[in-house]
Amino acid sequence: MKNNMFNKENSIPLKIGSLFDGIGVFPLSASRFGISPTWASEIEKAPISITKRHFPNMIHFGDITKVNGGEIPPVHIITFGSPCQNLSNIGKRESLTGSQSRLFYHAIRIIEEMRCAANGT
């Protein structure tokens, strides 16, 4: 299964976008199966440098709060692991209302914007 994964509808290689990218684990894993890492959103410099080393052609958008899903290249797969500080048992347990964990809603917003711009596909 190491060959390229294809979108069966039109036989084009699948593309992945990664929100809260960190060191690019989702894109790295996907690339091992022929899925093309297209873009990422991350704000920390050290993880970005690691991802850029692995994927020099991947677009980096930076701060997720400034990304408009309707204006970025559409992808077949969007991955994210939003910040969990506010969900942790050792944290303040603010849930998704906490300042870091509420960033989850930006991921959902970006997905909805992209779907709208791509006519639901």
Side-chain angles (χ1 to χ4, degrees), residues 60-115:
H60 288 269
F61 292 116
D63 186 347
I64 192 170
T65 65
K66 295 176 174 59
V67 174
N68 181 326
E71 296 176 354
I72 60 178
V75 293
H76 302 98
I77 303 164
I78 296 178
T79 60
F80 64 94
S82 61
C84 62
Q85 293 93 325
N86 306 124
L87 306 175
S88 171
N89 283 335
I90 60 173
K92 293 183 181 177
R93 299 181 192 178
E94 297 171 296
S95 71
L96 292 176
T97 62
S99 62
Q100 293 96 355
S101 295
R102 75 171 162 230
L103 292 172
F104 162 85
Y105 294 110
H106 285 283
I108 302 305
R109 173 187 55 78
I110 290 166
I111 292 167
E112 288 174 348
E113 290 168 348
M114 183 173 290
R115 284 180 129 178

Side-chain angles (χ1 to χ4, degrees), residues 30-43:
S31 72
R32 305 260 168 125
F33 290 94
I35 300 170
S36 177
T38 304
W39 51 257
S41 173
E42 175 58 58
I43 60 169

Side-chain angles (χ1 to χ4, degrees), residues 32-58:
R32 305 260 168 125
F33 290 94
I35 300 170
S36 177
T38 304
W39 51 257
S41 173
E42 175 58 58
I43 60 169
E44 297 293 330
K45 291 180 183 176
I48 292 170
S49 70
I50 293 169
T51 304
K52 283 185 174 182
R53 199 170 339 133
H54 288 275
F55 305 107
N57 297 321
M58 191 162 70

